[in-house]
Amino acid sequence: MKVRTVLGDLAAGELGVTDSHDHLFFRSALLPGQELDDAEAALQEAKDFVAAGGRTIVQWTPYGLGRGAEWLPKIAAAAGVHVVAATGFHRAEHYPAEVLEATRPKLAEVFVRELTEGIGDTGVKAGMIKVAGGFHVLDQHARHTLSAAAEAHHATGAPIGIHHELGSGADAVLALLVDERGVPPTSVILGHLNRFPDHELHLELAARGAFLAFDGPSRGNNATDPHLFECLAALVDGGYAGQLLLGGDTTTARARAATGEGPGMPYLLTGLRPRLIRRFGQEVVDRLFVENPASAFAAPWGGTVRS
């Protein structure tokens, strides 16, 4: 099992300390003026993450939202960090109507091509699929993109990461991907669960076997930090420490540490990790940052493993 990075496939055990959900590049009409499209700023953010002890960044930016694929290998090499890129498709409101019309009929084909051949003409291969659910229920667009993700998973083995609107609807996502489409739960990463701090629901989701991602600490529009530790404690006490992932989910320029007003990627390690160690101990925290990402993002990719 290997992890597909922008510089080639890597043995899963080589990931090291991992930010399991973040963005070096991201652009959406829903966030005007806050585009992450500055390569120098992205490089500095990656360097700051590495300086804090980080080793791998998993970028969940999907198709059509300014992934910066041509820049990712250069940033990975210059910063000394592994970077995993994503294929996939976000919620409909992130895209112009003409992009939706042109792309939706061939989503599975696009996903497979970007996972196996490369993104556009860059030759940079995606290492995961990022799609989105809905607010509590799945609309037609969500069902279509999730089904395309399942088809691409069965063709490649790639893991599937899910954006959940305000952290909701993860049970509906598992029903479609796992129950209807036959995706193994261990290939599903349920994102943004920190935005829906329902311990009982989290335990039910974990019992299904999926990975649970708590991402976006100190986001200005989500009071995630006050709930994070109790959510994690309920899952650790329930025996699910081996299914938990943590990420920064930096999506706006002002959230960056290097150029804005926010904590950015380094906060995951400089601000959050010490508190987690005090609460849960080093062994549990190593699972969240090192061991679990190595399992969650691994797939049976063909070819030669990069050393």
Side-chain angles (χ1 to χ4, degrees):
M1 298 288 280
K2 295 162 282 185
V3 175
R4 180 147 285 178
T5 80
V6 299
L7 291 178
D9 293 351
L10 189 71
E14 298 300 314
L15 285 191
V17 174
T18 300
D19 179 343
S20 290
H21 180 172
D22 226 311
H23 302 272
L24 290 164
F25 295 92
F26 183 79
R27 182 175 60 249
S28 170
L30 297 183
L31 296 167
Q34 288 300 316
E35 296 81 5
L36 297 179
D37 57 6
D38 184 330
E40 288 300 318
L43 174 59
Q44 187 59 55
E45 198 80 356
K47 286 182 175 179
D48 290 346
F49 176 72
V50 171
R55 193 72 184 95
T56 298
I57 298 167
V58 184
Q59 172 168 279
W60 284 40
T61 311
Y63 178 94
L65 296 182
R67 287 171 285 184
E70 68 276 18
W71 289 104
L72 293 178
K74 302 170 189 177
I75 289 171
V81 66
H82 305 305
V83 177
V84 178
T87 186
F89 214 63
H90 214 315
R91 288 175 56 81
E93 54 262 37
H94 286 280
Y95 299 98
E98 59 270 21
V99 173
L100 292 172
E101 183 178 351
T103 310
R104 270 198 289 219
K106 56 181 181 180
L107 280 181
E109 175 187 339
V110 169
F111 298 168
V112 172
R113 182 172 66 248
E114 293 192 337
L115 291 161
T116 60
E117 300 176 20
I119 297 169
D121 59 1
T122 65
V124 175
K125 296 176 183 177
M128 68 168 293
I129 306 163
K130 185 263 184 73
V131 287
F135 184 54
H136 290 289
V137 297
L138 302 180
D139 59 19
Q140 184 177 2
H141 174 83
R143 292 190 64 85
H144 182 75
T145 55
L146 286 163
S147 296
E151 185 177 341
H153 165 80
H154 288 306
T156 64
I160 304 172
I162 316 297
H163 164 96
H164 294 99
E165 197 68 7
L166 296 182
S168 70
D171 48 352
V173 166
L174 288 181
L176 191 153
L177 286 179
V178 177
D179 300 337
E180 294 183 28
R181 304 291 176 169
V183 176
T186 51
S187 293
V188 177
I189 302 163
L190 304 173
H192 300 326
L193 296 185
N194 46 299
R195 303 184 194 178
F196 197 81
D198 182 330
H199 300 171
E200 184 175 343
L201 175 62
H202 293 170
L203 289 166
E204 291 174 2
L205 297 172
R208 296 290 306 274
F211 285 94
L212 280 61
F214 293 81
D215 37 40
S218 287
R219 288 172 64 98
N221 61 339
N222 290 280
T224 59
D225 285 7
H227 304 291
L228 176 63
F229 288 83
E230 294 311 314
C231 288
L232 293 176
L235 288 159
V236 170
D237 292 345
Y240 298 111
Q243 294 168 231
L244 307 179
L245 302 170
L246 295 171
D249 192 26
T250 309
T251 56
T252 63
R254 66 170 162 261
R256 271 197 167 142
T259 60
E261 304 171 357
M265 289 186 183
Y267 174 79
L268 196 63
L269 302 181
T270 60
L272 194 59
R273 185 170 60 171
R275 295 167 59 202
L276 290 167
I277 291 172
R278 290 195 295 270
R279 178 69 178 268
F280 298 109
Q282 188 69 53
E283 182 179 352
V284 169
V285 174
D286 284 345
R287 296 185 79 175
L288 272 59
F289 281 105
V290 180
E291 297 170 28
N292 296 349
S295 297
F297 296 104
W301 304 111
T304 302
V305 180
R306 179 167 63 90
S307 62

